[in-house]
Amino acid sequence: MASHHPNSDRPSLEKWQRVVRFTRMAHALKPPDKSGLPVPEVRVCAFTTWSVRRRNSVEGANNAFNKSSVGGGKVFSLSGQRRKPYVPRDEEYYTIMYDEEPRITTDVTCTICKGFERSAKIQCRVCGRNCHTNCFERRYRGDEQAMEASKRADTEAGWTCADCENLGQLLDEYETSMLMDKFDEYDSDQSTQITVEEYIEFQKDLCLESEGIEMSKEREEEERELFGNIDISGDGAINWWEFLTAKSIHFLNKKPKSYVLKQLTPREIKRIRDIFKANDMSYHGVLDREEAVKVMKEWMNSVGLESPDGDYSKYLLTSSCVIPWDTFIREHAVTIIAARINNVGKQHFLPVKRKS
């Protein structure tokens, strides 16, 4: 009788070689940089550009290598089939302590040239990374929106770097692929823009798919108003960047709150907590509803945002009369992330509480 070899149940060498080959292929298909400078911080996530190139060139390699930012670790799909990543429930309770000071660090190297020269720099208010003014102007020459946003780096509102402004990187591959498919589906004329009619049809289908009901007339009016908020450029159409940002916030609202809390940076936590503590007259980390609305107003104004109609209570996403710090930060973590976009005034992506 033949003896069972102790290593016979292990994957074959050919299988592991195939895994390594798919992994290297996934990392090798990144778009090349033709500027002669280090790899730029692009506005759309690297996966988005990479997916478009893969889908247009090698259909069979699509989703050969899946990476889930939520499931924790890399997911290999050697069959080439798209696999929805595992999304954990909010079982591991995570919170941000009220009295614990966040550890704020500053990276003095330039994110573009990687140099340490003490020339003029602009600093990201989210991550604290710096960028030489000359390097920034050379890279984003011709981008009026980016140049205008950089002028706010020395103000209280601050400026957000392209990496932090890209909310699409907080999504996993399945969600990003689904958004790309939806965008292409409703962009019937392939103009890379969505009109208001196309947008309303998209929202009606999404409401029917997720909630199982037809969209009401009142909600349709809300969606039309939301379209104006998403259309930051004001040209009457939504481009891919605006669409990706708005829908990233939509997906973050569905993710476990502990996951979203972990995406907040120490600088973001310090800003909102300092305002919270300034209005905490009892020094116990608890506010009433009126004080919480005041916190939201002061925080929004500190990042350069305003309410279109002057009503800041709709940005308070909890209906409790007594709001402790833990509840406040957990319910508004997505709101803080949504404020990373370099918008000012009344045009922003902040979620509001739906009318009952």
Side-chain angles (χ1 to χ4, degrees):
M1 182 175 180
S3 61
H4 180 72
H5 195 276
N7 295 331
S8 60
D9 294 332
R10 293 186 179 181
S12 63
L13 179 60
E14 291 76 10
K15 181 177 180 180
W16 285 115
Q17 287 176 342
R18 190 184 183 194
V19 171
V20 173
R21 181 165 57 86
F22 275 124
T23 306
R24 290 178 178 174
M25 180 185 67
H27 288 284
L29 287 176
K30 294 181 180 179
D33 179 29
K34 300 180 180 179
S35 63
L37 297 172
V39 178
E41 297 176 65
V42 292
R43 280 194 157 186
V44 292
C45 58
F47 164 75
T48 304
T49 308
W50 168 41
S51 291
V52 172
R53 296 196 173 196
R54 282 195 308 166
R55 190 167 58 179
N56 293 340
S57 58
V58 188
E59 183 68 24
N62 190 27
N63 294 307
F65 173 76
N66 295 330
K67 180 178 180 181
S68 171
S69 59
V70 182
K74 301 176 180 178
V75 180
F76 295 95
S77 179
L78 300 181
S79 63
Q81 299 295 324
R82 178 176 298 179
R83 229 190 319 173
K84 186 174 181 179
Y86 167 71
V87 180
R89 292 178 296 175
D90 204 5
E91 295 176 346
E92 182 184 353
Y93 191 86
Y94 176 82
T95 187
I96 298 175
M97 303 303 296
Y98 185 58
D99 297 322
E100 182 179 347
E101 286 297 325
R103 183 180 178 183
I104 297 179
T105 59
T106 301
D107 188 356
V108 297
T109 61
C110 176
T111 56
I112 297 180
C113 71
K114 310 301 180 184
F116 292 88
E117 293 80 4
R118 295 183 178 180
S119 57
K121 295 181 180 179
I122 55 178
Q123 186 180 67
C124 175
R125 65 177 174 87
V126 178
C127 64
R129 291 183 295 180
N130 289 270
C131 175
H132 289 133
T133 305
N134 294 336
C135 295
F136 184 88
E137 293 176 352
R138 183 172 47 173
R139 166 148 299 166
Y140 295 99
R141 185 183 295 113
D143 189 343
E144 297 181 0
Q145 185 178 358
M147 297 301 296
E148 185 66 26
S150 66
K151 297 178 181 178
R152 299 191 293 270
D154 295 330
T155 65
E156 181 187 6
W159 162 81
T160 305
C161 67
D163 191 33
C164 294
E165 194 179 17
N166 174 25
L167 303 187
Q169 66 181 349
L170 301 179
L171 305 181
D172 55 50
E173 182 178 354
Y174 175 81
E175 293 164 337
T176 310
S177 298
M178 185 170 63
L179 287 182
M180 292 175 62
D181 294 339
K182 287 293 183 181
F183 188 89
D184 291 339
E185 180 180 351
Y186 289 98
D187 182 21
S188 55
D189 56 357
Q190 299 297 313
S191 62
T192 67
Q193 291 183 329
I194 300 178
T195 62
V196 62
E197 291 79 13
E198 293 172 334
Y199 177 79
I200 294 299
E201 288 298 323
F202 173 86
Q203 290 302 111
K204 287 182 178 179
D205 292 345
L206 185 63
C207 179
L208 187 62
E209 178 183 350
S210 60
E211 302 179 17
I213 58 175
E214 296 285 345
M215 180 183 292
S216 62
K217 292 293 183 181
E218 293 77 10
R219 185 168 177 179
E220 182 176 339
E221 291 300 322
E222 293 180 4
E223 295 297 344
R224 290 183 181 274
E225 181 181 352
L226 181 60
F227 178 90
N229 294 333
I230 300 176
D231 181 22
I232 299 299
S233 59
D235 57 357
I238 298 175
N239 57 34
W240 166 246
W241 165 245
E242 295 168 335
F243 180 83
L244 175 65
T245 303
K247 295 308 172 183
S248 295
I249 298 172
H250 173 79
F251 277 111
L252 286 175
N253 273 317
K254 294 185 175 182
K255 290 184 179 292
K257 295 185 183 300
S258 294
Y259 168 80
V260 182
L261 271 179
K262 293 178 181 179
Q263 310 308 314
L264 299 180
T265 65
R267 294 174 180 271
E268 290 176 313
I269 297 172
K270 178 175 173 55
R271 181 188 288 262
I272 187 68
R273 187 166 56 184
D274 287 349
I275 298 175
F276 191 98
K277 285 186 174 182
N279 291 272
D280 180 16
M281 301 306 174
S282 64
Y283 303 101
H284 294 305
V286 179
L287 301 179
D288 59 30
R289 188 166 185 82
E290 182 178 352
E291 293 171 336
V293 172
K294 184 179 179 182
V295 169
M296 291 302 300
K297 179 180 179 180
E298 293 181 2
W299 172 79
M300 288 178 61
N301 295 156
S302 72
V303 294
L305 303 179
E306 303 174 8
S307 175
D309 55 1
D311 180 18
Y312 289 87
S313 61
K314 62 184 178 182
Y315 298 102
L316 187 65
L317 304 181
T318 176
S319 56
S320 302
C321 297
V322 179
I323 307 172
W325 162 254
D326 179 68
T327 301
F328 181 87
I329 193 64
R330 289 177 68 84
E331 293 296 330
H332 298 90
V334 176
T335 302
I336 298 173
I337 293 177
R340 293 179 180 179
I341 311 302
N342 282 314
N343 296 333
V344 293
K346 301 177 181 180
Q347 295 279 23
H348 48 74
F349 293 95
L350 268 61
V352 298
K353 186 178 180 181
R354 291 198 176 274
K355 299 177 182 179
S356 57

